[in-house]
Amino acid sequence: MRKLDLPFASAARYSLAILGPIGSAGAQFALSLVLLRVLDQGGFGRFSFLLVLSQFTWGIWTALFCAPLPLLLSQGTGETRDRTRRTIQNASLIGAVVALILFGVVGMLLGEDFGAAAIFAAYAAMSLLRWFARAHAYAIGAQVRTTISDMVYAATVLIGAGLLLVFKSDALLSAWAILFAGATLGMIPFGRTYLREQFLQVSPRALADYRPVWREHSRWSLFGVATTEATANAHTYFVILLMGPTAFAPIAASALIIRPINVAMNALTEFERAQMARQIGAGRVDLAHRAARFFRAALALVWLLTAVAIVALFYRAPSLIFPPQYDIGVLVTGVTLWMLVSAIRAMRTPESALLQAAGAFQPLARASLWSSIVSIVAVLALLMLGQPLWSIVGILFGEAVFAALTWRAVRVCFRP
């Protein structure tokens, strides 16, 4: 019976870890579906690109602050851990203020009016602070707070999406306002003490004290995030730059349907990375490897269930999701390509989390560097040869390289 303890315990932990992200992603999916119907293709393409851009900065926050946090909190004395936590927390707030300004400028450059750009920037900055708060809760073993935060966010966005569907007034500005409200209210479950430390107890020394964290951990992790983004989303930036938001709209629409897989990968990575860091810190590398195997099985199950749901949707009633101005043949091709991409990505995600938990950011960064080069070259070549949709194949090539090099890095890093 003892051999069954880990799978059952892991299943229970995963249920808690994924409950909130499923709820929040489901609500955001509902909002995207409303916008898919009330916006023209240019407006939907612009919204989707700005959302991708804001979520890219979640990866930056993971590299700079979230990924090193569980590793550092598993080391040193209680006083050292508390000082490290406060340093990273303060640096995250300063970074969010900078992001607020940058996002406002980007929103206006892409054609949003001042009001919509300002609210988008406020949402993007607040979402970064909530992203760090979630990672902190995981790192200290308070994952219930993360789940409650996600559910508050989900309820707010879902209610807002329903109101937007009824009233349909100034859809883009309303959408960003809904997301901002969700991110703001989602901070409340982390508690009065945490909020006071995050917003009121700011130290001007935070950036100076953050330097050792940057040198030892974050710089390699950030490099990895930048190159991973190039691997995963090179098509997004090139299509928007070369062809505009309208050309990007069908790609974004087809990507909507695989969101459950991405939700599972992101949610379980945040959760499992903290667990693995504690296991490796305690010298139980065997448990970390076992957790990675269970992690992969869980993602494979999510992928399979999503595939079944997609086949049923396109066979029975694709109009439930997609409005008539989108060509179904194009969408089927896009979804098929995205499912292949997500399959490879899901298979290498547990090893990526394992390397992050061990502090092996440098080999992970090298893997993502080579994969990003492959993605960029392939995407540009495919855009010159064919339609924008086929740029997804370039992402597929990059993900395959990333997976191979990540698996190799794990074998080298954990060699007996």
Side-chain angles (χ1 to χ4, degrees):
M1 291 294 294
R2 294 189 64 181
K3 292 183 179 179
L4 299 177
D5 289 348
L6 179 69
F8 283 128
S10 295
R13 294 200 316 269
Y14 278 17
S15 297
L16 180 62
I18 205 169
L19 176 64
I22 284 178
S24 58
Q28 195 164 297
F29 178 68
L31 178 61
S32 295
L33 290 183
V34 172
L35 293 173
L36 190 62
R37 293 185 175 275
V38 301
L39 293 174
D40 60 22
Q41 291 195 23
F44 183 73
R46 191 162 63 252
F47 169 81
S48 300
F49 175 70
L50 288 173
L51 200 60
V52 166
L53 193 63
S54 69
Q55 291 173 349
F56 167 47
T57 58
W58 297 358
I60 293 176
W61 248 240
T62 296
L64 293 177
F65 311 116
C66 303
L69 188 65
L71 177 66
L72 295 172
L73 292 187
S74 67
Q75 302 171 348
T77 65
E79 182 179 350
T80 300
R81 290 195 295 267
D82 185 64
R83 186 167 60 249
T84 299
R85 175 187 60 81
R86 294 291 303 279
T87 293
I88 297 177
Q89 191 176 35
N90 275 263
S92 174
L93 178 61
I94 294 169
V97 172
V98 175
L100 174 71
I101 299 169
L102 294 177
F103 276 127
V105 173
V106 170
M108 290 185 11
L109 288 175
L110 283 175
E112 299 280 26
D113 60 40
F114 178 79
I119 298 176
F120 159 66
Y123 154 69
M126 186 61 71
S127 71
L128 291 174
L129 294 177
R130 195 177 82 88
W131 190 253
F132 176 78
R134 295 174 79 261
H136 175 262
Y138 277 139
I140 64 174
Q143 53 263 36
V144 173
R145 292 189 175 186
T146 292
T147 301
I148 296 172
S149 171
D150 288 343
M151 298 310 292
V152 169
Y153 175 86
T156 305
V157 173
L158 194 59
I159 292 170
L163 293 174
L164 182 58
L165 183 62
V166 172
F167 296 106
K168 301 179 182 178
S169 59
D170 206 345
L172 273 176
L173 187 146
S174 298
W176 295 127
I178 290 165
L179 292 171
F180 173 66
T184 302
L185 294 176
M187 290 292 291
I188 296 175
F190 296 110
R192 184 181 303 174
T193 299
Y194 179 86
L195 293 177
R196 184 174 60 249
E197 291 175 346
Q198 176 66 90
F199 292 103
L200 299 179
Q201 299 178 6
V202 183
S203 169
R205 294 187 53 191
L207 293 181
D209 292 342
Y210 177 75
R211 287 175 189 165
V213 179
W214 166 259
R215 286 195 303 267
E216 295 175 22
H217 304 287
S218 295
R219 60 177 177 170
W220 286 109
S221 186
L222 180 61
F223 181 77
V225 164
T227 50
T228 298
E229 177 69 5
T231 300
N233 286 315
H235 68 294
T236 299
Y237 302 102
F238 286 129
V239 171
I240 288 286
L241 181 64
L242 299 176
M243 301 178 180
T246 301
F248 179 63
I251 299 175
S254 63
L256 277 179
I257 208 74
I258 67 159
R259 189 164 289 178
I261 304 171
N262 295 332
V263 169
M265 281 190 284
N266 292 335
L268 296 182
T269 296
E270 290 296 311
F271 178 79
E272 199 58 61
R273 183 174 55 224
Q275 303 290 329
M276 291 175 178
R278 286 194 286 268
Q279 290 164 345
I280 293 172
R284 296 303 307 270
V285 176
D286 59 321
L287 291 182
H289 278 283
R290 196 182 306 177
R293 290 194 293 272
F294 191 87
F295 186 2
R296 185 172 13 261
L299 291 180
L301 179 61
V302 171
W303 188 93
L304 182 61
L305 293 175
T306 303
V308 172
I310 288 172
V311 171
L313 171 70
F314 278 107
Y315 180 72
R316 300 292 297 179
S319 61
L320 287 175
I321 301 292
F322 303 107
Q325 62 264 36
Y326 289 86
D327 183 88
I328 293 300
V330 170
L331 293 173
V332 169
T333 302
V335 170
T336 302
L337 293 174
W338 280 125
M339 285 298 290
L340 293 173
V341 169
S342 65
I344 297 175
R345 192 177 292 165
M347 291 302 99
R348 61 93 175 155
T349 293
E351 278 71 23
S352 295
L354 188 61
L355 289 170
Q356 290 176 344
F361 298 111
Q362 188 172 350
L364 191 59
R366 282 198 296 265
S368 64
L369 170 63
W370 288 110
S371 66
S372 68
I373 293 172
V374 171
S375 283
I376 290 170
V377 172
V379 165
L380 283 173
L382 288 163
L383 284 176
M384 287 186 287
L385 294 174
Q387 297 297 316
L389 188 69
W390 290 102
S391 63
I392 303 172
V393 176
I395 305 303
L396 180 64
F397 291 157
E399 288 290 346
V401 171
F402 200 170
L405 294 178
T406 299
W407 294 332
R408 180 180 180 276
V410 168
R411 290 196 299 271
V412 172
C413 182
F414 293 96
R415 182 179 296 159

